[in-house]
Amino acid sequence: MKFIQLLFFIILTQVSFAQKAFIFPKIKTQGETIAQLTPINWAVIDQTQGDLNNDGSEDLAMVLEYHKAIDETRVYGDNSTDIIKETQKPRMLVIFFKDKLNGLYQLSTQNNDFILRSEEGGKLGDPLQQIYIREGQLYLRFSGGSEWRWELGYTFKFQDKDWFLTNAVNLYYNNNTGEMTERVYNFTDRELYTTYGNIYRRDISNHRTSEVLFFNRLRTFKTFKKPWAWEIMPNVYL
């Protein structure tokens, strides 16, 4: 009887532990300074300012990181199933529009998944390269790998009251030989340009093709969970 009670207690403990998930804080809907908008135990690791909604004011995008590592399960491949477990610091992307009348930052979106974590870059280390704003669009850049390296770039634009993926770049190459495949996506015009060849001899040895992109609708932060989670074509992940 004692053995059964002990077994039941162990199972109950395991279930309770498994159900305990990290809870991301809700970012303040408005604030005057970056410090006011940054939650306790979180730090700004990258930020950029520029006009994102075409009103002439300097909007704000930030990447925040939690102060300690946790066990975090992440999606790869199908955009929904959590299949890879890492011990790493959670990150958030937050975007604010600046109100021209009162000067306050107003929260546009908070995303807890899209930004790659420090342990997701392979031997090259932290994959987050930079975020920046140019011509009213938000650019996110990542890289990683080892002998075979990859670079990912995503461009999001605010339109029709949501954040849509307009362009992307996926470069995969061998650091020793230079063998590479580069795919440049234009989702607005539904075009894909693919370059095969050598990253060190782009002008003489590469072959470029173009084709029509087929997809149902433009992806957003809500429908494109994170890098490597969209199988845009058979065996091709973005």
Side-chain angles (χ1 to χ4, degrees), residues 17-29:
F17 179 78
Q19 290 177 342
K20 186 178 180 180
F22 181 78
I23 299 176
F24 285 84
K26 289 185 178 180
I27 298 297
K28 291 181 178 180
T29 57

Side-chain angles (χ1 to χ4, degrees), residues 77-116:
D78 67 355
N79 205 46
S80 60
T81 307
D82 294 337
I83 58 175
I84 302 294
K85 186 176 182 179
E86 299 279 4
T87 301
Q88 55 197 359
K89 296 179 180 180
R91 289 176 172 177
M92 296 186 293
L93 171 68
V94 289
I95 305 173
F96 297 88
F97 293 139
K98 192 167 187 178
D99 192 310
K100 294 184 69 174
L101 297 178
N102 59 25
L104 296 178
Y105 290 112
Q106 307 285 343
L107 180 64
S108 172
T109 191
Q110 172 184 344
N111 184 283
N112 303 331
D113 298 300
F114 199 85
I115 299 298
L116 291 178

Side-chain angles (χ1 to χ4, degrees), residues 18-213:
Q19 290 177 342
K20 186 178 180 180
F22 181 78
I23 299 176
F24 285 84
K26 289 185 178 180
I27 298 297
K28 291 181 178 180
T29 57
Q30 68 176 24
E32 186 175 2
T33 66
I34 291 176
Q36 290 177 355
L37 300 169
T38 304
I40 296 175
N41 293 327
W42 290 78
V44 179
I45 61 172
D46 202 354
Q47 67 182 71
T48 183
Q49 290 181 290
D51 189 1
L52 287 167
N53 58 352
N54 198 32
D55 67 351
S57 60
E58 291 285 290
D59 304 313
L60 173 67
M62 301 189 297
V63 175
L64 305 176
E65 184 177 72
Y66 193 53
H67 72 116
K68 66 178 181 180
I70 65 165
D71 289 336
E72 190 176 32
T73 309
R74 304 272 283 159
V75 304
Y76 283 89
D78 67 355
N79 205 46
S80 60
T81 307
D82 294 337
I83 58 175
I84 302 294
K85 186 176 182 179
E86 299 279 4
T87 301
Q88 55 197 359
K89 296 179 180 180
R91 289 176 172 177
M92 296 186 293
L93 171 68
V94 289
I95 305 173
F96 297 88
F97 293 139
K98 192 167 187 178
D99 192 310
K100 294 184 69 174
L101 297 178
N102 59 25
L104 296 178
Y105 290 112
Q106 307 285 343
L107 180 64
S108 172
T109 191
Q110 172 184 344
N111 184 283
N112 303 331
D113 298 300
F114 199 85
I115 299 298
L116 291 178
R117 294 10 177 182
S118 62
E119 303 304 309
E120 295 180 315
K123 290 185 177 181
L124 290 183
D126 193 336
L128 177 61
Q129 296 302 300
Q130 65 177 145
I131 65 171
Y132 59 94
I133 295 170
R134 180 186 297 166
E135 297 179 350
Q137 299 188 98
L138 177 65
Y139 292 76
L140 307 172
R141 296 292 181 261
F142 308 95
S143 66
S146 183
E147 178 183 353
W148 281 96
R149 300 185 178 183
W150 49 266
E151 296 179 8
L152 293 171
Y154 305 92
T155 305
F156 286 86
K157 184 176 183 179
F158 186 76
Q159 55 191 22
D160 299 326
K161 299 181 180 181
D162 206 346
W163 289 93
F164 290 91
L165 180 69
T166 58
N167 299 86
V169 177
N170 186 344
L171 172 63
Y172 184 62
Y173 68 97
N174 187 292
N175 188 51
N176 296 322
T177 66
E179 179 186 349
M180 73 156 206
T181 299
E182 181 184 53
R183 293 183 173 89
V184 178
Y185 301 85
N186 184 325
F187 295 102
T188 304
D189 296 333
R190 291 181 175 267
E191 294 177 332
L192 168 61
Y193 299 97
T194 305
T195 302
Y196 304 96
N198 194 293
I199 194 171
Y200 303 126
R201 300 194 302 273
R202 283 178 174 266
D203 55 337
I204 60 175
S205 64
N206 293 340
H207 174 65
R208 190 179 192 228
T209 65
S210 63
E211 58 188 292
V212 177
L213 268 177

